[in-house]
């Protein structure tokens, strides 16, 4: 089997363009019965208790303890102490009326060291969490890998090492076997774009390596790990289990219709989006990606016979994580060059093979991350993805950080966050009205937490966490979301 697909995945998708689609600001449209109104978190960002119950270090423990890597020297050692407070946190979710909760398993808690037998204490923690959720009528969606690779596997080469894909599938099957009687939605990877390109390309995420070839190797091995995990999990899960992957597909827009700018958008779509959707949904890497990156990595050596058949095993849901659109042009085109890199500005680019592409800040409102607020990118992505792949979708992450101000009672009035969430729920309901099969929306995040390289500086929560006392106080946006759910769930 050739590793490259026919031309149909090479061209720019309809998401490329300069037009902005209008979306309704006040969603009145119906959400389908059973639609999950949820919130999302990740193990390293909330759990703390990093040396409790047999858990071993992950690459994020090592990275956050390396001076200069995370703002203020923050680490996830304590985080928001969810490991001890999970019952209270589930009660909080129930008070908000959430119908779904997406969280991740810590690989080194479930399988210390990343190989060998699973750790009963780790599994017991997640079993207790799931039981608590189910008792409160909240449906769990479990992510297997939200970036916390066991350190031992990084020491053996990390994701650029092919063996990591096999280790991941083994862990995934074990976790599915242990929890599959009570969890029916399973997400293999969270944002492999970040794992590959921020972890091994720009180095702003763990493990902090900066090598373009390793970044592309990591991307392929993450794809392979996903496919192998899907195969292994299908054989242990009940037949009605839903298997998914969460991708941060970029809603790429060209600054102008100039062919050079359109080509810049095409390049970013190739290395940012189609490097994942090509093999996963079409069983092939796009021709143009191979051409753009062939000088960096030897794809024929990287992709073994049979890999694409593994990676393209059918899945039941695609999770889209969406925060903002991506505006690009060709550098040569004489536009101002404002290199804006998601998740921080590193000296190395997280876009291998896209030298010559300039990133622009879209005009208009931004969040505390400097990310533009533009729900039309969510609408365009959902409708475009459903049209292209026909797979049911969930929005597995969407939300915003703002500079919250707290009153004397710990209460935060956050009208910007309410407007952000309202606008994006509007985009979801518009996309459903336009025919897209969207089955859930998981707000990022349930509560303030460890925001990776930004440490505790950036607050994405609907619930305020006082990091001194660990007190949780719902913000106005949490109350708004609760009311929205109450009036829209069916
Ligand atoms: C996403 C991550 C999530 C969180 C949000 C803000 O890229 O998946 O953990 O950091 O960004």
């Amino acid at each position: 089997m050739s590793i490259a697909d026919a031309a149909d995945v090479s061209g720019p998708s309809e998401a490329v363009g300069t037009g902005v689609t209008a979306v309704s600001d006040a969603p009145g449209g119906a959400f389908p019965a059973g639609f999950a109104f949820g919130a999302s978190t990740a193990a390293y960002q909330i759990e703390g208790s990093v040396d409790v119950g047999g858990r071993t270090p992950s690459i994020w423990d090592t990275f956050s303890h390396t001076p200069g890597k995370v703002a203020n020297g923050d680490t996830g050692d304590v985080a928001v102490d969810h490991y001890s407070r999970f019952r209270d946190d589930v009660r909080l979710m129930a008070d908000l009326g959430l119908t779904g909760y997406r969280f991740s398993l810590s690989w080194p808690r479930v399988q210390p060291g990343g190989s060998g037998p699973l750790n009963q204490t780790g599994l017991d923690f997640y079993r207790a969490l799931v039981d608590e959720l189910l008792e409160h009528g909240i449906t769990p969606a479990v992510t297997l890998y939200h970036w916390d690779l066991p350190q031992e596997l990084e020491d053996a080469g990390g994701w650029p090492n092919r063996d990591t894909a096999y280790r991941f599938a083994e862990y995934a099957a074990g976790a599915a076997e242990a929890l599959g009687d009570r969890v029916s939605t399973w997400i293999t990877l969270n944002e492999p774009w970040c794992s590959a390109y921020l972890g091994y390309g720009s180095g702003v995420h763990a493990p902090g390596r900066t090598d373009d070839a390793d970044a592309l190797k990591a991307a392929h091995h993450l794809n392979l790990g996903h496919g192998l995990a899907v195969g292994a999990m299908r054989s242990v899960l009940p037949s009605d289990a839903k298997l998914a992957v969460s991708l941060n597909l970029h809603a790429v827009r060209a600054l102008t219709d100039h062919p050079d700018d359109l080509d810049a958008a095409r390049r970013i779509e190739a290395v940012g989006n189609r490097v994942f959707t090509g093999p996963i949904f079409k069983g092939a890497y796009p021709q143009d990606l191979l051409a753009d990156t062939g000088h960096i990595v030897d794809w024929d050596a990287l992709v073994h016979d049979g890999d694409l058949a593994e990676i393209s095993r059918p899945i039941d849901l695609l999770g889209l994580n969406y925060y903002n659109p991506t505006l690009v042009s060709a550098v040569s085109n004489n536009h101002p060059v404002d290199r804006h890199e998601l998740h921080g500005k590193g000296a190395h680019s997280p876009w291998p093979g896209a030298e010559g592409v300039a990133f622009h800040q879209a005009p208009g409102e931004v969040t505390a991350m400097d990310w533009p607020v533009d729900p039309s990118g969510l609408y365009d992505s959902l409708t475009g993805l459903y049209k292209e792949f026909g797979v049911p979708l969930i929005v597995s992450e969407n939300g915003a950080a703002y500079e919250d101000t707290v009153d004397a009672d710990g209460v935060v009035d956050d009208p910007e966050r309410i407007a952000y969430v309202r606008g994006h729920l509007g985009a979801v309901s518009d996309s459903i009205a336009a025919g897209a099969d969207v089955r859930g929306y998981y707000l990022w995040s349930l509560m303030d937490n460890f925001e990776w390289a930004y440490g505790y500086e950036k607050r994405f929560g609907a619930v305020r966490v006082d990091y001194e006392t660990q007190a949780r106080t719902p913000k106005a946006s949490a109350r708004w979301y609760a009311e929205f759910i109450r009036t829209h769930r069916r």
Side-chain angles (χ1 to χ4, degrees), residues 142-145 168 186-190 225-226 229-230 233 244-246:
V142 169
T143 305
L144 286 154
Y145 186 70
F168 175 66
W186 292 85
I187 297 165
T188 54
L189 305 174
N190 178 70
H226 157 81
V230 168
M233 291 165 78
V245 63
S246 284

Side-chain angles (χ1 to χ4, degrees), residues 45 146-147 190-191 321 323 343 371 397 444 451-452 460:
Q45 296 180 275
H146 203 125
W147 308 350
N190 178 70
E191 301 190 358
N321 291 2
Y323 291 88
H343 287 270
W371 296 350
E397 286 181 25
W444 186 273
E451 180 46 36
W452 308 113
F460 276 89

Side-chain angles (χ1 to χ4, degrees), residues 258-283:
H258 189 288
D260 293 350
D261 290 348
L262 294 175
D263 193 59
R266 177 202 60 72
R267 277 174 177 263
I268 294 306
E269 283 218 313
V271 72
N273 297 350
R274 290 183 279 113
V275 65
F276 303 111
T277 57
I280 291 174
F281 293 109
K282 300 190 174 185

